[in-house]
Every structure is written in structure tokens, then in C-alpha cells.
Amino acid sequence: MTTTEWITDIALILVVFRQLREGRLDWKSFLIPLGIVTFVAQQYLDSVPTGGNDLVLIGTLMAAGAALGIGGGLYTRIRVSGEHLLIKAGAVSAVLWVLGMGARMGFQLWTEHGGGDDVARFSLTHHITSDQAWVAAFVLMALTEVVTRLATIFVRGRLVDRGPQAQLTRPALSPDRGA
């Protein structure tokens, strides 16, 4: 693995540790992880192979990323403090995040240190056409995990009851509003 790969992998893992400490839910909460995965995608996602069972591999890892992301978003505590929303990743959220982000790093280390032949045999047996299919699958898995986690947190943040002061600023939702 290159230095850049180590830095980006570790940065993605550390993103959730930043949220183990309660902090404000703001644009930085969304932009930092999205910026990191955008960088990773630009660096490593040259194409999305569609031959053989490449799309099955990619879809399977993206589904795993979505499950991890939604789970991580659901196990992130969101509460109101004054006029601000605060978030704090719980232990389950942190474990899911590290599991997803660490899987990519672990797979790459394994293939570089003796597992490459096993992956080649698996790929041949299951009609996976190239190394790029594995790269695309893991990059898209990470991207999906980040986006679904953030989307889950965003939606949950919008649904948080902000108390009586929120009722004054939100329009009333009533079927007979015009009456």
C-alpha cells in the first residue's frame, strides 16, 4: 500500500472516532467524510467493470456498505441542546464504521501479502473479470457506507423533536389548513 492509501484509509477510520465525542451536527459533519471518499473515488475508481459477475460483486459489497452505513447512522445518538443538534457515535456505530472501512484496508493488505492467488482463483471460479472489479467494489462499498450513514443521520436529525420553540418556527401541518 502506498502512503496515500494508508493516509486515506486511516482518515476514513478516524472520522467516526471524531464523533465518539459529542459535537454539533453541522456541515463539517457531512463534508469531511464526503470529501475523503470523493478523493478516494477520484484516485481509484477508473471504471466500473460490467463483464462476467463483476456487477454481482460490486452490488454485493455496495449492499454491505449500505447496511453498515444505515446501521451506523441508527446507532449514532442525536439530541437537541438549545438551538443545535448534537451527535455522538455509539460503540456499535464505531464498530460498524471500522468494520466497513477496515475491510477494504484488510483485503488490500491480505492480497499484497499472500492472498492474491486466492483472490485470483476465486475471481476465475466466479467469473470476476479483473482486479478493477475488486477496486470498484470496495471503493463503491466505502462510498455507499459513507453516504447512507450520513443520509440516515441527516434524516434522523430532521425528525428530532426540538421542543416547543420548534413548533413556533415550523408551519402547522393540517389537512384543513385553508379553512
Side-chain angles (χ1 to χ4, degrees):
M1 287 178 56
T2 67
T3 304
T4 302
E5 290 168 337
W6 276 105
I7 291 169
T8 53
D9 287 345
I10 291 169
L12 279 169
I13 291 172
L14 291 177
V15 163
V16 80
F17 289 111
R18 179 178 161 261
Q19 292 177 356
L20 287 174
R21 209 172 31 119
E22 190 173 56
R24 279 181 54 183
L25 179 61
D26 56 15
W27 287 109
K28 286 190 292 185
S29 305
F30 297 99
L31 294 178
I32 291 171
L34 286 173
I36 294 169
V37 292
T38 299
F39 172 79
V40 169
Q42 287 179 333
Q43 293 293 311
Y44 302 105
L45 194 58
D46 298 327
S47 64
V48 177
T50 59
N53 285 327
D54 294 353
L55 289 177
V56 173
L57 172 69
I58 292 166
T60 300
L61 290 185
M62 286 179 71
L68 291 167
I70 291 168
L74 291 174
Y75 283 98
T76 298
R77 187 178 77 182
I78 301 173
R79 71 178 186 90
V80 177
S81 177
E83 294 181 10
H84 303 289
L85 287 177
L86 301 177
I87 62 170
K88 180 179 181 182
V92 173
S93 181
V95 167
L96 293 173
W97 184 265
V98 171
L99 182 66
M101 295 303 149
R104 188 174 137 281
M105 190 163 96
F107 181 80
Q108 188 170 2
L109 285 170
W110 176 63
T111 58
E112 289 178 357
H113 298 285
D117 291 340
D118 293 327
V119 173
R121 277 191 295 280
F122 180 90
S123 296
L124 187 60
T125 302
H126 294 90
H127 308 291
I128 297 166
T129 63
S130 69
D131 292 346
Q132 185 58 32
W134 288 99
V135 171
F138 276 105
V139 169
L140 290 171
M141 176 188 172
L143 180 67
T144 303
E145 182 176 357
V146 168
V147 169
T148 56
R149 181 177 184 274
L150 294 176
T152 302
I153 290 170
F154 178 80
V155 169
R156 288 186 60 228
R158 301 289 290 173
L159 296 174
V160 167
D161 182 16
R162 295 178 186 235
Q165 64 272 45
Q167 300 303 321
L168 299 174
T169 59
R170 275 194 236 165
L173 298 176
S174 169
D176 58 349
R177 200 168 148 177

mmCIF file of all heavy atoms in Angstrom, residues 19-47:
data_model
loop_
_atom_site.group_PDB
_atom_site.id
_atom_site.type_symbol
_atom_site.label_atom_id
_atom_site.label_comp_id
_atom_site.label_asym_id
_atom_site.label_seq_id
_atom_site.Cartn_x
_atom_site.Cartn_y
_atom_site.Cartn_z
ATOM 1 N N GLN A 19 -16.360 11.501 16.153
ATOM 2 C CA GLN A 19 -17.741 11.618 16.609
ATOM 3 C C GLN A 19 -18.032 10.811 17.875
ATOM 4 O O GLN A 19 -19.156 10.796 18.341
ATOM 5 C CB GLN A 19 -18.698 11.201 15.487
ATOM 6 C CG GLN A 19 -18.668 12.168 14.336
ATOM 7 C CD GLN A 19 -19.563 11.725 13.192
ATOM 8 O OE1 GLN A 19 -20.153 10.665 13.215
ATOM 9 N NE2 GLN A 19 -19.638 12.562 12.177
ATOM 10 N N LEU A 20 -17.027 10.130 18.411
ATOM 11 C CA LEU A 20 -17.232 9.452 19.690
ATOM 12 C C LEU A 20 -17.397 10.469 20.808
ATOM 13 O O LEU A 20 -17.960 10.182 21.852
ATOM 14 C CB LEU A 20 -16.076 8.500 20.002
ATOM 15 C CG LEU A 20 -16.052 7.225 19.174
ATOM 16 C CD1 LEU A 20 -14.786 6.435 19.453
ATOM 17 C CD2 LEU A 20 -17.289 6.379 19.415
ATOM 18 N N ARG A 21 -16.861 11.647 20.557
ATOM 19 C CA ARG A 21 -17.056 12.773 21.457
ATOM 20 C C ARG A 21 -18.239 13.559 20.905
ATOM 21 O O ARG A 21 -18.304 13.838 19.716
ATOM 22 C CB ARG A 21 -15.802 13.646 21.443
ATOM 23 C CG ARG A 21 -15.534 14.393 22.677
ATOM 24 C CD ARG A 21 -14.177 15.062 22.590
ATOM 25 N NE ARG A 21 -13.825 15.426 21.228
ATOM 26 C CZ ARG A 21 -13.595 16.660 20.813
ATOM 27 N NH1 ARG A 21 -13.627 17.644 21.654
ATOM 28 N NH2 ARG A 21 -13.302 16.905 19.570
ATOM 29 N N GLU A 22 -19.173 13.898 21.743
ATOM 30 C CA GLU A 22 -20.354 14.608 21.267
ATOM 31 C C GLU A 22 -19.968 15.954 20.668
ATOM 32 O O GLU A 22 -19.129 16.674 21.204
ATOM 33 C CB GLU A 22 -21.334 14.819 22.422
ATOM 34 C CG GLU A 22 -22.670 15.336 21.987
ATOM 35 C CD GLU A 22 -23.648 15.358 23.140
ATOM 36 O OE1 GLU A 22 -23.346 15.989 24.168
ATOM 37 O OE2 GLU A 22 -24.713 14.740 23.009
ATOM 38 N N GLY A 23 -20.577 16.274 19.543
ATOM 39 C CA GLY A 23 -20.309 17.550 18.886
ATOM 40 C C GLY A 23 -21.519 17.996 18.080
ATOM 41 O O GLY A 23 -22.484 17.244 17.897
ATOM 42 N N ARG A 24 -21.461 19.225 17.606
ATOM 43 C CA ARG A 24 -22.566 19.784 16.831
ATOM 44 C C ARG A 24 -22.696 19.082 15.490
ATOM 45 O O ARG A 24 -21.711 18.764 14.836
ATOM 46 C CB ARG A 24 -22.339 21.269 16.581
ATOM 47 C CG ARG A 24 -22.723 22.107 17.761
ATOM 48 C CD ARG A 24 -22.536 23.568 17.546
ATOM 49 N NE ARG A 24 -23.212 24.052 16.352
ATOM 50 C CZ ARG A 24 -23.139 25.290 15.929
ATOM 51 N NH1 ARG A 24 -22.430 26.174 16.599
ATOM 52 N NH2 ARG A 24 -23.775 25.673 14.859
ATOM 53 N N LEU A 25 -23.934 18.846 15.100
ATOM 54 C CA LEU A 25 -24.222 18.335 13.765
ATOM 55 C C LEU A 25 -24.283 19.551 12.859
ATOM 56 O O LEU A 25 -25.194 20.364 12.941
ATOM 57 C CB LEU A 25 -25.553 17.570 13.755
ATOM 58 C CG LEU A 25 -25.982 17.004 12.406
ATOM 59 C CD1 LEU A 25 -24.956 16.006 11.886
ATOM 60 C CD2 LEU A 25 -27.351 16.336 12.526
ATOM 61 N N ASP A 26 -23.256 19.689 12.024
ATOM 62 C CA ASP A 26 -23.200 20.822 11.114
ATOM 63 C C ASP A 26 -22.674 20.338 9.769
ATOM 64 O O ASP A 26 -22.508 19.141 9.550
ATOM 65 C CB ASP A 26 -22.331 21.946 11.691
ATOM 66 C CG ASP A 26 -20.919 21.482 12.031
ATOM 67 O OD1 ASP A 26 -20.500 20.405 11.579
ATOM 68 O OD2 ASP A 26 -20.223 22.212 12.758
ATOM 69 N N TRP A 27 -22.425 21.255 8.874
ATOM 70 C CA TRP A 27 -21.986 20.879 7.524
ATOM 71 C C TRP A 27 -20.658 20.145 7.532
ATOM 72 O O TRP A 27 -20.418 19.279 6.696
ATOM 73 C CB TRP A 27 -21.927 22.111 6.616
ATOM 74 C CG TRP A 27 -23.301 22.562 6.249
ATOM 75 C CD1 TRP A 27 -23.939 23.697 6.679
ATOM 76 C CD2 TRP A 27 -24.245 21.873 5.437
ATOM 77 N NE1 TRP A 27 -25.223 23.753 6.178
ATOM 78 C CE2 TRP A 27 -25.423 22.633 5.397
ATOM 79 C CE3 TRP A 27 -24.215 20.666 4.733
ATOM 80 C CZ2 TRP A 27 -26.551 22.254 4.688
ATOM 81 C CZ3 TRP A 27 -25.343 20.290 4.015
ATOM 82 C CH2 TRP A 27 -26.481 21.072 4.001
ATOM 83 N N LYS A 28 -19.769 20.462 8.492
ATOM 84 C CA LYS A 28 -18.492 19.740 8.578
ATOM 85 C C LYS A 28 -18.716 18.253 8.837
ATOM 86 O O LYS A 28 -17.954 17.425 8.369
ATOM 87 C CB LYS A 28 -17.595 20.329 9.669
ATOM 88 C CG LYS A 28 -16.956 21.647 9.316
ATOM 89 C CD LYS A 28 -15.908 22.025 10.335
ATOM 90 C CE LYS A 28 -16.575 22.330 11.659
ATOM 91 N NZ LYS A 28 -15.669 22.818 12.688
ATOM 92 N N SER A 29 -19.771 17.949 9.589
ATOM 93 C CA SER A 29 -20.085 16.553 9.889
ATOM 94 C C SER A 29 -20.349 15.762 8.604
ATOM 95 O O SER A 29 -20.127 14.554 8.558
ATOM 96 C CB SER A 29 -21.327 16.460 10.777
ATOM 97 O OG SER A 29 -21.184 17.222 11.935
ATOM 98 N N PHE A 30 -20.826 16.457 7.589
ATOM 99 C CA PHE A 30 -21.136 15.814 6.318
ATOM 100 C C PHE A 30 -20.008 15.974 5.302
ATOM 101 O O PHE A 30 -19.673 15.038 4.579
ATOM 102 C CB PHE A 30 -22.430 16.396 5.731
ATOM 103 C CG PHE A 30 -23.631 16.146 6.585
ATOM 104 C CD1 PHE A 30 -24.120 17.126 7.439
ATOM 105 C CD2 PHE A 30 -24.277 14.923 6.562
ATOM 106 C CE1 PHE A 30 -25.227 16.892 8.237
ATOM 107 C CE2 PHE A 30 -25.389 14.670 7.351
ATOM 108 C CZ PHE A 30 -25.861 15.662 8.199
ATOM 109 N N LEU A 31 -19.428 17.158 5.248
ATOM 110 C CA LEU A 31 -18.462 17.459 4.183
ATOM 111 C C LEU A 31 -17.124 16.743 4.342
ATOM 112 O O LEU A 31 -16.514 16.349 3.343
ATOM 113 C CB LEU A 31 -18.247 18.967 4.078
ATOM 114 C CG LEU A 31 -19.469 19.759 3.618
ATOM 115 C CD1 LEU A 31 -19.161 21.240 3.588
ATOM 116 C CD2 LEU A 31 -19.956 19.274 2.258
ATOM 117 N N ILE A 32 -16.646 16.556 5.559
ATOM 118 C CA ILE A 32 -15.341 15.910 5.751
ATOM 119 C C ILE A 32 -15.361 14.464 5.245
ATOM 120 O O ILE A 32 -14.545 14.096 4.403
ATOM 121 C CB ILE A 32 -14.863 16.027 7.221
ATOM 122 C CG1 ILE A 32 -14.520 17.483 7.531
ATOM 123 C CG2 ILE A 32 -13.673 15.111 7.479
ATOM 124 C CD1 ILE A 32 -14.237 17.765 8.999
ATOM 125 N N PRO A 33 -16.305 13.617 5.713
ATOM 126 C CA PRO A 33 -16.301 12.244 5.186
ATOM 127 C C PRO A 33 -16.612 12.176 3.690
ATOM 128 O O PRO A 33 -16.022 11.365 2.968
ATOM 129 C CB PRO A 33 -17.374 11.520 6.006
ATOM 130 C CG PRO A 33 -17.976 12.506 6.912
ATOM 131 C CD PRO A 33 -17.266 13.798 6.786
ATOM 132 N N LEU A 34 -17.515 13.051 3.218
ATOM 133 C CA LEU A 34 -17.808 13.054 1.785
ATOM 134 C C LEU A 34 -16.593 13.489 0.970
ATOM 135 O O LEU A 34 -16.329 12.942 -0.104
ATOM 136 C CB LEU A 34 -18.996 13.964 1.474
ATOM 137 C CG LEU A 34 -20.367 13.424 1.874
ATOM 138 C CD1 LEU A 34 -21.437 14.489 1.672
ATOM 139 C CD2 LEU A 34 -20.698 12.167 1.101
ATOM 140 N N GLY A 35 -15.846 14.440 1.487
ATOM 141 C CA GLY A 35 -14.625 14.881 0.802
ATOM 142 C C GLY A 35 -13.589 13.767 0.714
ATOM 143 O O GLY A 35 -12.952 13.578 -0.331
ATOM 144 N N ILE A 36 -13.437 13.020 1.791
ATOM 145 C CA ILE A 36 -12.453 11.934 1.798
ATOM 146 C C ILE A 36 -12.846 10.849 0.798
ATOM 147 O O ILE A 36 -12.021 10.399 0.003
ATOM 148 C CB ILE A 36 -12.273 11.357 3.214
ATOM 149 C CG1 ILE A 36 -11.649 12.410 4.144
ATOM 150 C CG2 ILE A 36 -11.394 10.108 3.179
ATOM 151 C CD1 ILE A 36 -11.670 12.028 5.617
ATOM 152 N N VAL A 37 -14.115 10.415 0.803
ATOM 153 C CA VAL A 37 -14.498 9.347 -0.128
ATOM 154 C C VAL A 37 -14.522 9.843 -1.569
ATOM 155 O O VAL A 37 -14.267 9.072 -2.489
ATOM 156 C CB VAL A 37 -15.831 8.650 0.232
ATOM 157 C CG1 VAL A 37 -15.715 7.863 1.498
ATOM 158 C CG2 VAL A 37 -16.980 9.582 0.238
ATOM 159 N N THR A 38 -14.793 11.118 -1.778
ATOM 160 C CA THR A 38 -14.713 11.668 -3.126
ATOM 161 C C THR A 38 -13.279 11.610 -3.619
ATOM 162 O O THR A 38 -13.015 11.220 -4.769
ATOM 163 C CB THR A 38 -15.241 13.113 -3.155
ATOM 164 O OG1 THR A 38 -16.609 13.107 -2.741
ATOM 165 C CG2 THR A 38 -15.127 13.726 -4.538
ATOM 166 N N PHE A 39 -12.334 11.967 -2.765
ATOM 167 C CA PHE A 39 -10.921 11.870 -3.114
ATOM 168 C C PHE A 39 -10.539 10.433 -3.451
ATOM 169 O O PHE A 39 -9.885 10.169 -4.459
ATOM 170 C CB PHE A 39 -10.047 12.395 -1.966
ATOM 171 C CG PHE A 39 -8.582 12.155 -2.178
ATOM 172 C CD1 PHE A 39 -7.846 12.972 -3.026
ATOM 173 C CD2 PHE A 39 -7.934 11.105 -1.533
ATOM 174 C CE1 PHE A 39 -6.491 12.742 -3.239
ATOM 175 C CE2 PHE A 39 -6.583 10.865 -1.734
ATOM 176 C CZ PHE A 39 -5.859 11.689 -2.590
ATOM 177 N N VAL A 40 -10.959 9.489 -2.603
ATOM 178 C CA VAL A 40 -10.649 8.073 -2.835
ATOM 179 C C VAL A 40 -11.249 7.611 -4.160
ATOM 180 O O VAL A 40 -10.584 6.939 -4.955
ATOM 181 C CB VAL A 40 -11.154 7.199 -1.659
ATOM 182 C CG1 VAL A 40 -11.077 5.722 -1.991
ATOM 183 C CG2 VAL A 40 -10.350 7.501 -0.397
ATOM 184 N N ALA A 41 -12.498 7.983 -4.406
ATOM 185 C CA ALA A 41 -13.156 7.576 -5.656
ATOM 186 C C ALA A 41 -12.427 8.146 -6.871
ATOM 187 O O ALA A 41 -12.219 7.440 -7.865
ATOM 188 C CB ALA A 41 -14.619 8.014 -5.650
ATOM 189 N N GLN A 42 -12.016 9.402 -6.797
ATOM 190 C CA GLN A 42 -11.283 10.002 -7.922
ATOM 191 C C GLN A 42 -9.937 9.333 -8.143
ATOM 192 O O GLN A 42 -9.489 9.205 -9.277
ATOM 193 C CB GLN A 42 -11.084 11.499 -7.690
ATOM 194 C CG GLN A 42 -12.334 12.299 -7.862
ATOM 195 C CD GLN A 42 -12.098 13.774 -7.592
ATOM 196 O OE1 GLN A 42 -11.207 14.164 -6.840
ATOM 197 N NE2 GLN A 42 -12.914 14.613 -8.209
ATOM 198 N N GLN A 43 -9.292 8.899 -7.078
ATOM 199 C CA GLN A 43 -7.973 8.290 -7.185
ATOM 200 C C GLN A 43 -8.033 6.862 -7.721
ATOM 201 O O GLN A 43 -7.150 6.448 -8.462
ATOM 202 C CB GLN A 43 -7.276 8.264 -5.814
ATOM 203 C CG GLN A 43 -6.912 9.614 -5.286
ATOM 204 C CD GLN A 43 -5.835 10.275 -6.132
ATOM 205 O OE1 GLN A 43 -4.818 9.677 -6.437
ATOM 206 N NE2 GLN A 43 -6.080 11.502 -6.536
ATOM 207 N N TYR A 44 -9.047 6.093 -7.327
ATOM 208 C CA TYR A 44 -9.022 4.654 -7.582
ATOM 209 C C TYR A 44 -10.139 4.124 -8.461
ATOM 210 O O TYR A 44 -10.056 2.985 -8.916
ATOM 211 C CB TYR A 44 -9.042 3.898 -6.239
ATOM 212 C CG TYR A 44 -7.881 4.292 -5.381
ATOM 213 C CD1 TYR A 44 -8.056 5.127 -4.289
ATOM 214 C CD2 TYR A 44 -6.593 3.869 -5.694
ATOM 215 C CE1 TYR A 44 -6.978 5.516 -3.516
ATOM 216 C CE2 TYR A 44 -5.512 4.258 -4.921
ATOM 217 C CZ TYR A 44 -5.714 5.082 -3.836
ATOM 218 O OH TYR A 44 -4.648 5.469 -3.068
ATOM 219 N N LEU A 45 -11.169 4.899 -8.688
ATOM 220 C CA LEU A 45 -12.298 4.403 -9.464
ATOM 221 C C LEU A 45 -12.175 4.878 -10.904
ATOM 222 O O LEU A 45 -12.757 5.879 -11.302
ATOM 223 C CB LEU A 45 -13.614 4.874 -8.836
ATOM 224 C CG LEU A 45 -14.879 4.201 -9.299
ATOM 225 C CD1 LEU A 45 -14.819 2.694 -9.064
ATOM 226 C CD2 LEU A 45 -16.081 4.787 -8.604
ATOM 227 N N ASP A 46 -11.407 4.126 -11.686
ATOM 228 C CA ASP A 46 -11.209 4.474 -13.093
ATOM 229 C C ASP A 46 -12.419 4.080 -13.928
ATOM 230 O O ASP A 46 -12.791 4.777 -14.863
ATOM 231 C CB ASP A 46 -9.962 3.776 -13.647
ATOM 232 C CG ASP A 46 -8.696 4.210 -12.936
ATOM 233 O OD1 ASP A 46 -8.625 5.380 -12.522
ATOM 234 O OD2 ASP A 46 -7.789 3.370 -12.780
ATOM 235 N N SER A 47 -12.985 2.926 -13.611
ATOM 236 C CA SER A 47 -14.145 2.439 -14.349
ATOM 237 C C SER A 47 -14.905 1.463 -13.463
ATOM 238 O O SER A 47 -14.410 1.026 -12.435
ATOM 239 C CB SER A 47 -13.707 1.739 -15.636
ATOM 240 O OG SER A 47 -12.949 0.576 -15.321
#
